[in-house]
């Protein structure tokens, strides 16, 4: 019996200028690391923007600037493994909902400079205040400059209902190496096993449980923010 709905299995989303938005230093590696590797293998232009400064991410270390340095270095190592060469840090405090005009202007400038065909971002119902905040910021930028591109939203804390699946079986070992760069975070939560678990589960539709895959909601930006507005309001 055919499924009522099955997402499309694709090699990777289309796009040569790829901008990845990550609320925290480990989010993109966890949520779309395998697909980032695929973009890098095709010589796509890859840039990443980190929203928060990570200073609350290692509670046992009291020196917050030291925490920031540790987490940035972890991210740099992970991005080197994945193939991302350009990194931006907005250095916002974690778990702070406020959005300033300066923050919007900084992201606007980055987006204008990078001119993305596709933007990766955690989906708008991903259950973390910083993940929702980044969607809010991007929606403001979208309305401000009439941005035209695709949005490829990924999952970190909350599984999404995907319309595309990317097979990352050949990339999973490299993704594992990148995830292991975030030692400060793996000391607190076993992200490696949890992300591999959902990547295994995501093969259930199209690959009968074989290999590993990442799942996405891939939409034109106007359609994405129509959904966002309806769900968040």
């Amino acid at each position: 019996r055919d499924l009522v709905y099955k997402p499309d299995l694709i090699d990777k989303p289309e796009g040569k200028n790829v901008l990845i938005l990550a609320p925290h230093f480990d989010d993109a590696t966890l949520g779309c690391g395998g697909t980032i590797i695929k973009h890098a293998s095709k010589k796509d232009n890859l840039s990443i923007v980190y929203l928060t400064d990570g200073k609350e991410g290692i509670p046992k270390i009291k020196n917050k600037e030291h925490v920031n340095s540790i987490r940035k270095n972890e991210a740099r190592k992970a991005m080197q493994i994945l193939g991302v060469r350009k990194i931006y840090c907005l250095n916002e405090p974690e778990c702070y909902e406020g959005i300033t005009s300066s923050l919007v202007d900084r992201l606007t400038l980055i987006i204008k400079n990078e001119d993305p065909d596709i933007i990766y971002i955690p989906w708008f119902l991903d259950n973390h205040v910083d993940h929702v905040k980044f969607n809010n910021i991007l929606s403001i930028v979208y309305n401000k400059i009439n941005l035209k591109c695709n949005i490829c939203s990924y999952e970190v804390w909350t599984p999404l209902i995907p319309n595309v699946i990317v097979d990352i079986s050949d990339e999973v070992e490299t993704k594992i190496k990148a995830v292991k760069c975030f030692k400060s975070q793996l000391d607190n939560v076993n992200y490696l096993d949890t992300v591999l678990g959902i990547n295994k589960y995501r093969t259930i539709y199209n690959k009968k449980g074989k290999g590993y895959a990442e799942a996405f909601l891939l939409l034109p930006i106007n359609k994405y923010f129509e959904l966002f507005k309806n769900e968040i309001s």
Side-chain angles (χ1 to χ4, degrees):
R1 183 165 67 89
D2 290 339
L3 295 170
V4 174
Y5 170 78
K6 183 169 71 172
D8 294 329
L9 180 65
I10 63 173
D11 179 58
K12 71 172 183 65
E14 293 183 5
K16 290 297 294 180
N17 290 340
V18 181
L19 184 63
I20 306 148
L21 303 185
H24 309 101
F25 289 114
D26 53 357
D27 287 328
T29 304
L30 297 172
C32 55
T35 304
I36 292 171
I37 296 165
K38 287 199 160 193
H39 278 291
S41 72
K42 299 295 185 182
K43 309 299 182 185
D44 296 338
N45 302 312
L46 288 159
S47 303
I48 190 165
V49 183
Y50 294 112
L51 176 62
T52 59
D53 56 21
K55 291 181 179 180
E56 305 303 319
I58 314 177
K60 65 183 179 183
I61 298 179
K62 302 305 179 185
N63 184 328
K64 299 304 182 182
E65 295 304 322
H66 184 43
V67 173
N68 175 256
S69 177
I70 290 171
R71 298 200 66 191
K72 279 184 177 178
N73 285 333
E74 290 175 341
R76 289 189 188 100
K77 291 175 183 177
M79 290 304 108
Q80 185 173 17
I81 290 169
L82 297 182
V84 179
R85 294 291 177 258
K86 191 179 290 186
I87 297 174
Y88 298 93
C89 296
L90 297 176
N91 292 309
E92 286 290 295
E94 293 177 289
C95 299
Y96 172 67
E97 295 185 57
I99 298 173
T100 64
S101 58
S102 173
L103 176 58
V104 172
D105 289 345
R106 282 183 287 154
L107 183 61
T108 301
L109 182 60
I110 291 168
I111 289 175
K112 285 182 175 180
N113 287 340
E114 296 302 328
D115 190 23
D117 306 310
I118 187 167
I119 295 175
Y120 285 82
I121 189 170
W123 78 299
F124 51 77
L125 293 181
D126 211 38
N127 191 22
H128 193 293
V129 62
D130 293 330
H131 295 206
V132 177
K133 176 179 176 176
F134 221 171
N135 276 276
N136 274 311
I137 299 166
L138 183 60
S139 72
I140 296 169
V141 175
Y142 159 66
N143 288 311
K144 180 180 179 181
I145 64 174
N146 193 26
L147 181 61
K148 290 181 172 64
C149 64
N150 286 332
I151 297 292
C152 194
S153 54
Y154 59 93
E155 56 195 357
V156 181
W157 289 103
T158 308
L160 52 72
I161 299 175
N163 61 356
V164 297
I165 301 289
V166 175
D167 184 355
I168 63 161
S169 302
D170 292 339
E171 291 76 28
V172 72
E173 291 302 324
T174 305
K175 177 174 178 173
I176 289 169
K177 290 179 183 177
V179 172
K180 286 182 176 179
C181 291
F182 298 99
K183 186 177 183 305
S184 69
Q185 304 309 293
L186 294 173
D187 285 345
N188 295 319
V189 178
N190 187 354
Y191 289 110
L192 184 57
D193 283 356
T194 55
V195 75
L196 289 177
I198 198 164
N199 291 162
K200 171 61 72 175
Y201 167 72
R202 286 309 187 181
T203 65
I204 194 170
Y205 290 113
N206 306 82
K207 293 178 61 62
K208 299 182 179 179
K210 297 178 181 178
Y212 295 87
E214 291 171 343
F216 302 98
L217 179 61
L218 174 62
L219 293 169
I221 192 167
N222 62 316
K223 297 297 184 184
Y224 180 80
F225 280 116
E226 282 179 17
L227 284 179
F228 172 74
K229 183 178 179 181
N230 290 335
E231 293 296 333
I232 299 298
S233 62

